Amino acid sequence: MLISTADAILLDLPLVEPFAAAHGTTRSRTVVIIRLEGEDGPVGWGECSALPAATYTAESAAGSYQLLTDHLLPTIVGQPLTVATLDPLRRQHADAPMAMAGIEMALIDAQLKTEHRSLAQWLGATSSTVPAGVSLGLAPVDQVATQARALVAEGYRRLKIKIEPGHDRAVVDAVRTDPTIRDLVAATEDRRPDRDPTPNFELHLDGNGAYGADDVDLLVSLTSSGSTAGADVLEQPLAPAEVNAATQLVQRLADRWSNDSGGLGPVPVVADEAVATMGDVERLADRRAITGVSIKPARVGGLLAARAMHDRCRELGLRATAGGMLETGLGRRALASLAALPGFDLTGDLSPAGRWLATDPWPDLTMTAGQILVPDGPGVAPEPDLDLLDHHTVRRERLSS
Ligand code: OSB
Ligand code: MG
């Protein structure tokens, strides 16, 4: 597509409630949207999901907006561009995966709308629904328990809860011993009979790298084993640099599992912050420091890189989960489409954006009976509500050829 117009739009969307994690608290969702228009008509929308502050990775919404308007969009405007010809620019800006993911998404959206194809179909999705999963921020234990009850009542059967040192065991115990949650889960028909000892319910813990080498014993003790229900997945518990400790953790969980008689595999240790590139996956898999990856299109540079990582995880026998970035409905639709690939064998961050966004220019994901419907319309998402978009626009810059 010959790019005739490129817009960067800095949106500020109010959150339903603040979202806290070990890396900081988010109060409103500042997010960058990219609009690309081709000479011959197609329009595509992409989301750069960098967070308001550079707390999770080095990218931030304001920084990405600057890079896009100063450099990336001026470079592509007036040029013929496809997802394939984007590679030189990607290599040049390997340190800006979220900005590049936004450009890529807009290109894919325009291309697929022209072809009347859905993103899920284009990516090779094999299912029309994916299990819903929801994340809970750091909060006092009683608040976590109250939220967890409400979310299980809404139909979620996978909760991902943020933990940090000193705020972990009490969280696991509160959720695992809650009678309301137990009754709600027991009333659900069997969807995951493989997941003894607590079929139909998965507890993921996300440490955002807040733990260190001395915490391996503690982390092991937080996980499910035999008839004891704990965490079913550990996401990035250890700091990314703690590779030796991660290898120990993986080994300890494997030993723990082989000492059990249950049918479960070892509790997966899933990398988030530690994996930016395929090289990171190879290196951590070689070191046996991970057994899975949270694949976030934004963090790895886009949907194509995410799909390639998914494929490689399958070859390597690694588990995979589709990771979220508190996106708008646009980014969330992309995530749900990706999550329908067959190698995503752990429930992902698949909740509608309305869980955190009080308003959203994009139509939200649909959730029924604990499942998210994989979008099947043309492109990544339907057109946004342009009035809402304007209303929440903080800055906008248009480049034309
Ligand atoms: O660590 O997984 C994380 C959001 C932004 C940045 C990092 C993370 C998260 C989440 C939210 O956990 C998950 C979601 O989008 O549902
Ligand atoms: Mg995470």
Side-chain angles (χ1 to χ4, degrees):
M1 133 182 191
L2 184 57
I3 311 290
S4 59
T5 308
D7 294 71
I9 302 164
L10 190 66
L11 282 181
D12 193 39
L13 300 171
L15 290 183
V16 174
E17 62 183 11
F19 189 89
H23 52 70
T25 300
T26 317
R27 291 171 197 289
S28 71
R29 184 61 166 107
T30 309
V31 64
V32 182
I33 299 296
I34 295 149
R35 180 185 181 277
L36 299 179
E37 191 171 337
E39 184 124 283
D40 37 357
V43 170
W45 296 90
E47 174 173 331
C48 162
S49 301
L51 295 181
T55 45
Y56 166 67
T57 67
E59 289 176 280
S60 67
S64 301
Y65 181 83
Q66 197 74 35
L67 177 68
L68 283 157
T69 52
D70 282 356
H71 186 70
L72 298 177
L73 298 185
T75 304
I76 63 171
V77 107
Q79 301 296 317
L81 203 61
T82 64
V83 282
T85 60
L86 205 54
D87 282 349
L89 197 62
R90 287 183 206 278
R91 277 193 289 275
Q92 215 183 326
H93 293 280
D95 57 346
M98 299 194 184
M100 291 306 302
I103 293 178
E104 184 203 64
M105 191 190 294
L107 282 173
I108 293 173
D109 185 46
Q111 180 190 322
L112 295 182
K113 278 178 176 152
T114 309
E115 297 170 6
H116 301 285
R117 289 177 79 187
S118 71
L119 175 61
Q121 189 206 358
W122 184 72
L123 287 171
T126 50
S127 55
S128 56
T129 62
V130 290
V134 65
S135 301
L136 286 78
L138 286 172
V141 175
D142 55 330
Q143 279 180 40
V144 172
T146 306
Q147 283 184 41
R149 275 192 291 275
L151 291 163
V152 172
E154 278 178 44
Y156 289 103
R157 290 297 176 267
R158 176 277 212 175
L159 305 184
K160 170 171 129 182
I161 306 187
K162 299 285 183 181
I163 56 166
E164 63 180 355
H167 180 72
D168 38 40
R169 188 177 311 282
V171 169
V172 173
D173 290 347
V175 172
R176 284 304 197 177
T177 60
D178 190 278
T180 310
I181 293 178
R182 193 193 51 218
D183 291 350
L184 286 163
V185 170
T188 325
E189 67 180 277
D190 247 23
R191 285 204 301 257
R192 309 190 71 118
D194 55 320
R195 297 211 66 83
D196 270 341
T198 51
N200 294 331
F201 186 76
E202 288 173 69
L203 178 61
H204 296 207
L205 297 179
D206 187 354
N208 286 108
Y211 291 83
D214 296 340
D215 296 318
V216 171
D217 287 345
L218 164 72
L219 291 166
V220 170
S221 76
L222 295 174
T223 62
S224 293
S225 130
S227 56
T228 316
D232 300 305
V233 176
L234 294 177
E235 177 171 320
Q236 195 68 57
L238 295 160
E242 298 283 8
V243 181
N244 288 333
T247 301
Q248 266 181 46
L249 176 61
V250 164
Q251 185 61 51
R252 293 279 307 279
L253 291 170
D255 293 346
R256 191 171 206 230
W257 169 63
S258 57
N259 294 332
D260 286 349
S261 48
L264 271 173
V267 168
V269 179
V270 166
D272 178 356
E273 286 88 335
V275 166
T277 65
M278 200 76 97
D280 294 331
V281 175
E282 304 287 352
R283 181 176 50 88
L284 292 169
D286 272 356
R287 297 280 300 272
R288 300 188 195 288
I290 53 173
T291 43
V293 182
S294 167
I295 302 178
K296 299 194 179 187
R299 198 193 65 231
V300 304
L303 289 160
L304 284 178
R307 182 176 63 183
M309 200 173 277
H310 156 277
D311 296 348
R312 188 66 183 131
C313 283
R314 286 189 97 186
E315 286 169 6
L316 292 171
L318 294 173
R319 315 292 298 268
T321 167
M325 288 289 300
L326 303 172
E327 295 93 343
T328 70
L330 175 60
R332 221 53 178 182
R333 278 173 183 268
L335 188 65
S337 306
L338 178 73
L341 295 180
F344 285 106
D345 58 354
L346 295 171
T347 307
D349 295 328
L350 290 156
S351 47
R355 154 125 174 93
W356 51 90
L357 294 184
T359 42
D360 184 353
W362 277 271
D364 212 343
L365 289 174
T366 305
M367 175 173 162
T368 48
Q371 300 283 316
I372 296 285
L373 304 186
V374 176
D376 60 2
V380 178
E383 290 299 293
D385 178 323
L386 295 177
D387 291 335
L388 263 184
L389 191 77
D390 282 350
H391 189 257
H392 294 285
T393 295
V394 182
R395 294 164 77 186
R396 179 169 186 150
E397 193 161 323
R398 167 161 293 190
L399 293 128
S400 299
S401 55

